[in-house]
Amino acid sequence: MAKILVTGGCGYIGSHTIVDLIENGYDVVSIDDNSRSSEGILNGIEAITGKSVKNYKVDLCNYDETMAVFQENTDIVGIIHFAAYKAVGESVHFPLMYFENNLFSLINLLKCTQDFEVPYFVFSSSCTVYGTPQIIPVTEATATQPAESPYGATKQMGEQIIQDAARVGNTRYILLRYFNPVGAHPSISIGEMPLGRPANLVPAITQTAVGKIDKLTVFGSDYDTRDGSCMRDFIHVSDIAHAHTLAVEFLASKPEGPKLDTFNLGSGNGVTVFEAIKAFEKVSGQPLNYEVGERRTGDVEAIYADNKKAVEELGWQVRYNLDDMMRTAWAWEQKLLHQGALFDSQNSKLN
Ligand code: WQD
């Protein structure tokens, strides 16, 4: 079986991607220092797939430790790189921590990719690189705008570093620009585990619904959208995960393809914050306690994807709709509540 290295494999999108890779016949190893994740999620992956995945608890900013993983796994044919800090607000307060962590780790990984001549490299990018688009939906050809945050800047710089690295050696690269990943695996064995109070909308909704948060604040209702709240492109995390498997298969099936390619991963549907809340209330059968507050600095008014390129070239199909996203997110939040600390970080066992 072809072996794929997933960095950030204990994280939200990383864990869901490992499940999809295994279900599609790949062997997987993970590198995750668990600074913002729990190895316990690997028990959830095993519950779904029956496979025990090895995680190397390595800081990717340490080149020697990272290189040692490649020495132990010389049969890695592809790398999917998720590991990065991703909180927009935090990045504004700690920009150097974000540039150091997100860029040093990427550069070390790219050096190993070239040293060990790894054929494929898939990079976790983000719709953040588009900034505030002049025209929506955005295609991969839409010009990027200045990043709204240091987090977004690390994704833009990461893409630039990869573009230059792609000119050297034989590795081929794909950049996947996620829109807003939400929801949980349909088995409800894995899902999102935000550290502290979630910045993202959907976990904030579900934590409000279970009472972890008293009241949700909608950051602004005076935008130039159909209901005044911001518009986003929500996409189920399992759809995002499968796109990574398809990206690896695309690279393997087209040896003469371009050295670098880019794909938008969004549903293609613009949904406003108020519409997302209404979808949750419908699915959960309960009203959500929320109020409208001030706009959040750095928020983009409206963005959603033209996903035709991924659909036509990767053979990607968006399988989950907004109700599925809310239903799985809600079921996961309830599981977290009823099972306490689902993954005890001490013994990293599924309780
Ligand atoms: C969505 C909308 C908020 C919380 C970011 C990153 C992106 C990706 C996803 C990593 C906005 C509103 C939110 C709340 C609210 N990250 N909101 N009340 O900012 O679109 O994207 O996360 O891959 O790269 O930029 O996501 O979920 O934070 O916000 O009203 O309590 O929900 O104002 O309009 P965002 P988000």
Side-chain angles (χ1 to χ4, degrees):
M1 282 192 286
K3 180 182 281 186
I4 304 292
L5 165 64
V6 173
T7 74
C10 298
Y12 177 41
I13 307 175
S15 56
H16 285 78
T17 299
I18 289 178
V19 166
D20 198 88
L21 286 165
I22 292 171
E23 289 179 339
N24 284 276
Y26 289 91
D27 183 19
V28 181
V29 289
S30 166
I31 291 181
D32 195 315
D33 66 3
N34 296 132
S35 60
R36 300 198 169 190
S37 63
S38 160
E39 267 193 343
I41 204 92
L42 299 176
N43 296 294
I45 292 172
E46 186 168 0
I48 300 168
T49 65
K51 290 283 179 69
S52 166
V53 173
K54 180 173 179 53
N55 177 60
Y56 292 86
K57 206 163 185 157
V58 159
D59 177 359
L60 289 166
C61 292
N62 180 316
Y63 176 76
D64 292 340
E65 286 184 18
T66 302
M67 194 258 284
V69 176
F70 286 82
Q71 284 177 323
E72 196 175 307
N73 296 272
T74 53
D75 53 346
I76 289 171
V77 299
I79 298 168
I80 304 179
H81 179 41
F82 293 104
Y85 295 159
K86 64 135 197 152
V88 172
E90 180 186 47
S91 75
V92 172
H93 298 293
F94 302 100
L96 297 181
M97 181 178 82
Y98 266 67
F99 289 122
E100 179 181 45
N101 182 68
N102 290 7
L103 299 182
F104 282 21
S105 54
L106 173 62
I107 290 165
N108 280 342
L109 209 51
L110 290 171
K111 285 162 70 176
C112 290
T113 301
Q114 292 189 350
D115 295 349
F116 290 86
E117 297 179 337
V118 178
Y120 318 127
F121 190 102
V122 178
F123 178 63
S124 165
S125 189
S126 166
C127 60
T128 313
V129 302
Y130 294 112
T132 299
Q134 306 308 312
I135 298 171
I136 51 174
V138 294
T139 71
E140 291 80 358
T142 297
T144 58
Q145 302 289 330
E148 304 278 353
S149 68
Y151 161 75
T154 67
K155 289 300 181 184
Q156 287 183 338
M157 293 174 184
E159 290 196 355
Q160 183 60 58
I161 291 168
I162 290 169
Q163 280 166 25
D164 292 338
R167 295 191 179 92
V168 179
N170 298 315
T171 300
R172 291 172 50 230
Y173 300 83
I174 279 184
L175 310 176
L176 296 178
R177 292 174 176 169
Y178 314 151
F179 282 70
N180 290 60
V182 297
H185 188 271
S187 68
I188 315 301
S189 297
I190 56 175
E192 190 167 8
M193 299 182 75
L195 292 177
R197 184 181 175 114
N200 294 136
L201 178 64
V202 171
I205 287 175
T206 57
Q207 287 200 12
T208 301
V210 291
K212 283 184 185 171
I213 293 174
D214 176 45
K215 184 182 289 188
L216 177 84
T217 301
V218 171
F219 297 135
S221 63
D222 57 349
Y223 287 98
D224 183 18
T225 62
R226 52 181 175 252
D227 63 15
S229 65
C230 288
M231 180 178 284
R232 291 292 181 273
D233 182 327
F234 299 101
I235 178 76
H236 195 281
V237 64
S238 293
D239 278 329
I240 292 268
H242 188 53
H244 288 76
T245 303
L246 293 173
V248 170
E249 290 171 353
F250 176 83
L251 288 167
S253 66
K254 295 190 172 18
E256 298 314 310
K259 294 290 288 303
L260 178 75
D261 222 332
T262 304
F263 296 92
N264 282 341
L265 296 185
S267 66
N269 303 315
V271 171
T272 69
V273 172
F274 286 136
E275 290 164 350
I277 290 172
K278 286 189 186 65
F280 175 80
E281 291 178 328
K282 183 180 83 171
V283 157
S284 65
Q286 63 183 62
L288 190 76
N289 185 22
Y290 69 92
E291 64 187 356
V292 177
E294 294 302 309
R295 291 184 173 195
R296 183 173 70 175
T297 306
D299 266 339
V300 167
E301 177 171 82
I303 187 168
Y304 67 97
D306 174 330
N307 65 5
K308 276 198 277 304
K309 186 179 176 192
V311 170
E312 291 168 2
E313 295 188 24
L314 296 183
W316 187 50
Q317 290 178 345
V318 175
R319 295 167 295 177
Y320 300 95
N321 61 29
L322 187 60
D323 287 355
D324 298 324
M325 296 177 216
M326 293 303 177
R327 187 176 303 113
T328 54
W330 178 225
W332 174 251
E333 187 67 63
Q334 290 175 294
K335 181 170 184 179
L336 285 176
L337 181 74
H338 297 135
Q339 293 204 10
L342 201 60
F343 303 123
D344 175 349
S345 55
Q346 275 65 45
N347 62 28
S348 72
K349 281 289 172 221
L350 188 62
N351 295 332

